Amino acid sequence: MLRTLCRSGGALLQQTQRTVPRLWVGPGRQRWASSLPMNTVVLFVPQQEAWVVERMGRFHRILDPGLNFLIPVLDRIRYVQSLKEIVIDVPEQSAVSLDNVTLQIDGVLYLRILDPFKASYGVEDPEYAVTQLAQTTMRSELGKLTLDKVFRERESLNANIVHSINQASDDWGIRCLRYEIKDIHVPPRVKESMQMQVEAERRKRATVLESEGTRESAINVAEGRKQAQILASEGEKEEQINKAAGEAQAVMAKAEAKSKAIRLLSAALMEQNGNAAASLTVAEQYVAAFSKLAKESNTVLLPTNTGDMSGMVSQAMAIYGTLAKATPKSSPEAVEENSVEHADESATEENRH
């Protein structure tokens, strides 16, 4: 009896091993599950692995890492799921952008199994399902963007793909962590046109920068000339003001000096022997005037009696006396000015004669 039970149990175990899906034991599926272990009653489950156990063909439980016990013949390990982060290479595919440019894009998909039960019974081939979903989502998202935005918005494109995959893979117990685009290949002609566009944009920027530099330089030169003219005009203004002030001060000084001289002369004439001093002064000026004749001009006017100095002095003093008698009550300054003016007039008339 016991021998018959062992034989039937061994045959059942061999049949069970032959009916195991090739999905989990093939060499291409090693990332999803290791080779299915045999039911040895006492099992040790490695960390970050989930062993799905069926009892008499139905799901029984999931073995936790560590020591576990199973019933021979009745229990069997159907699936072994890895709970580590899994990396899948998404094959290169062609997609058409919004501006009708054909692109060749490949990527890398990072995912993790969150529910071993759904990953085992919710989908037949998890890797194939996720890969196909990533490719279709990539083509759909690329059709919404132009070629320029594909290069500028890679982060947003990756985020949209991850969101779309997670919406569909929730029933499979799989969570997509991130998706990264590896390479984007464009047709050669499009690449040449993009290169020409980049060069044209660089030349445009260089031209704009050069024109802005020329404008700033012209503005700076004009501003410098303006400031120079303003400073020069202010300098000329200050110079003219200082010159006018100096001339005014010189005129005032000359007037004050002349006024003082007239006052002194008037006071001297009013003193004793003032007439004699005046006669001496007139004679000296007469001699000095004759010494300058014919030095500054070729025209010379001479009186008839050039040698009669006493007569000339007597005539000048007579004029002075007449003026003094005519204005006896006038101030000394006025008397002096009138006497000088009459002396000049008499000298001019004498020269004419």
Side-chain angles (χ1 to χ4, degrees):
M1 182 70 179
L2 182 59
R3 184 179 298 176
T4 304
L5 181 61
C6 291
R7 288 179 180 178
S8 62
L12 181 62
L13 181 60
Q14 292 177 358
Q15 184 181 1
T16 302
Q17 291 179 351
R18 287 196 297 267
T19 58
V20 171
R22 303 300 298 174
L23 171 64
W24 305 109
V25 297
R29 311 304 182 192
Q30 293 298 326
R31 66 168 61 96
W32 290 93
S34 60
S35 60
L36 294 178
M38 295 179 60
N39 186 356
T40 59
V41 180
V42 179
L43 299 175
F44 296 94
V45 180
Q47 186 67 31
Q48 292 293 13
E49 283 191 6
W51 293 7
V52 180
V53 178
E54 293 182 354
R55 176 169 292 180
M56 292 183 295
R58 296 184 60 183
F59 172 76
H60 177 58
R61 68 190 180 100
I62 299 175
L63 300 182
D64 296 328
L67 178 62
N68 293 273
F69 297 94
L70 295 179
I71 300 175
V73 180
L74 299 180
D75 296 337
R76 65 169 179 165
I77 301 172
R78 181 68 173 176
Y79 301 101
V80 176
Q81 304 287 0
S82 176
L83 302 181
K84 299 178 182 179
E85 185 174 349
I86 303 170
V87 182
I88 300 176
D89 289 331
V90 179
E92 186 177 10
Q93 61 176 337
S94 63
V96 180
S97 62
L98 185 61
D99 50 356
N100 298 324
V101 178
T102 303
L103 304 174
Q104 298 292 330
I105 297 181
D106 57 355
V108 180
L109 185 63
Y110 300 86
L111 53 86
R112 175 176 293 171
I113 296 177
L114 301 180
D115 191 344
F117 176 80
K118 291 183 179 180
S120 300
Y121 297 100
V123 61
E124 180 68 22
D125 189 344
E127 180 180 357
Y128 180 76
V130 174
T131 303
Q132 293 300 315
L133 181 59
Q135 289 181 340
T136 55
T137 306
M138 171 64 72
R139 285 192 292 266
S140 176
E141 292 295 331
L142 285 178
K144 302 177 183 178
L145 301 175
T146 60
L147 180 60
D148 295 336
K149 290 185 178 180
V150 169
F151 292 99
R152 291 198 301 264
E153 301 180 2
R154 296 181 65 170
E155 294 183 0
S156 62
L157 182 61
N158 295 335
N160 294 334
I161 294 174
V162 170
H163 179 70
S164 300
I165 293 175
N166 287 330
Q167 285 182 344
S169 62
D170 286 339
D171 296 335
W172 304 338
I174 299 174
R175 182 71 176 177
C176 180
L177 302 179
R178 57 190 177 275
Y179 181 87
E180 297 293 338
I181 298 175
K182 289 199 301 184
D183 296 320
I184 300 177
H185 302 283
V186 297
R189 293 184 179 180
V190 177
K191 189 175 182 180
E192 291 176 0
S193 63
M194 293 175 61
Q195 187 67 26
M196 293 174 62
Q197 181 180 0
V198 172
E199 293 178 357
E201 186 67 23
R202 290 178 179 175
R203 288 195 297 268
K204 175 183 176 182
R205 292 180 182 178
T207 304
V208 171
L209 292 176
E210 184 179 359
S211 63
E212 290 180 356
T214 303
R215 184 185 66 178
E216 293 295 333
S217 177
I219 291 174
N220 292 335
V221 172
E223 188 69 22
R225 291 178 179 176
K226 176 183 176 182
Q227 294 295 332
Q229 292 179 357
I230 292 174
L231 294 176
S233 62
E234 290 180 355
E236 293 178 358
K237 177 182 176 181
E238 293 295 333
E239 182 181 1
Q240 293 178 0
I241 291 174
N242 294 335
K243 185 177 180 180
E247 293 178 354
Q249 292 179 0
V251 171
M252 292 297 297
K254 290 180 180 179
E256 291 178 359
K258 188 175 182 180
S259 175
K260 291 181 180 180
I262 291 174
R263 288 193 185 96
L264 294 175
L265 180 60
S266 176
L269 292 174
M270 295 300 295
E271 293 178 357
Q272 187 178 2
N273 296 325
N275 293 333
S279 300
L280 179 59
T281 302
V282 170
E284 291 177 352
Q285 292 179 357
Y286 182 80
V287 172
F290 268 95
S291 64
K292 295 180 180 180
L293 291 177
K295 289 184 178 180
E296 297 179 358
S297 176
N298 295 329
T299 303
V300 180
L301 297 177
L302 297 175
T304 56
N305 50 351
T306 56
D308 190 3
M309 185 180 298
S310 60
M312 180 63 68
V313 173
S314 299
Q315 185 178 1
M317 294 305 296
I319 294 172
Y320 171 74
T322 303
L323 292 175
K325 291 179 181 180
T327 56
K329 296 181 180 181
S330 59
S331 61
E333 291 82 358
V335 173
E336 179 63 21
E337 290 179 359
N338 292 331
S339 62
V340 172
E341 290 178 358
H342 283 289
D344 293 338
E345 291 179 357
S346 61
T348 303
E349 292 179 356
E350 184 67 24
N351 292 330
R352 290 178 181 178
H353 292 294

